[in-house]
Amino acid sequence: MNLPNRDGLPPGSPNFLIVEDHAAMREAVRRFVAAAYPTSVIALASTGAQALVEMGAMRPDLVLMDVHLPDANGIELTVQIKAVSDTTQVVILTQSAGLAYEAHAKLVGAFGYVHKEMIFTDLISMVERALAQRDGHRRGDAAPA
């Protein structure tokens, strides 16, 4: 029997928070995630301050985080999000390319990094890996190699 999870959602329905200041990109990512996870709750934030409010309200399973926000740096905001909920996975979405960005994001606790040009080819597989790792940590499994 498929009973709802603690949030009243069907099993396997993760909660998402999309943090993106550009409305068109935020909506495109929301639609893309909703198509892949149609029973999930997807909250939206356009600023770092809104993201922290949403974190307190919903404790999402996964945050899709832009780096450049009007009031915050998404990588620095990742540190705050992980302090609120260490089981929440963060995937950085950005136009900024470079190994330094990716290394810094992972250093502060982000699961991964997707360049915005690659969202429609790489995002869902990254989300699936992040959620699988989160679920493994909740059960106490070892992290994947």
Side-chain angles (χ1 to χ4, degrees), residues 68-127:
H68 302 289
L69 299 167
D71 64 340
N73 175 292
I75 294 174
E76 293 170 6
L77 191 57
T78 297
V79 175
Q80 295 176 52
I81 285 173
K82 296 299 279 186
V84 170
S85 175
D86 66 346
T87 60
T88 296
Q89 295 287 21
V90 178
V91 172
I92 301 293
L93 307 176
T94 187
Q95 294 282 41
S96 303
L99 294 176
Y101 275 104
E102 185 172 355
H104 189 211
K106 288 185 177 183
L107 183 67
V108 300
F111 176 82
Y113 182 96
V114 176
H115 196 276
K116 286 183 180 176
E117 291 179 2
M118 304 302 292
I119 283 178
F120 298 109
T121 58
D122 296 352
L123 182 61
I124 297 304
S125 64
M126 178 71 72
V127 165

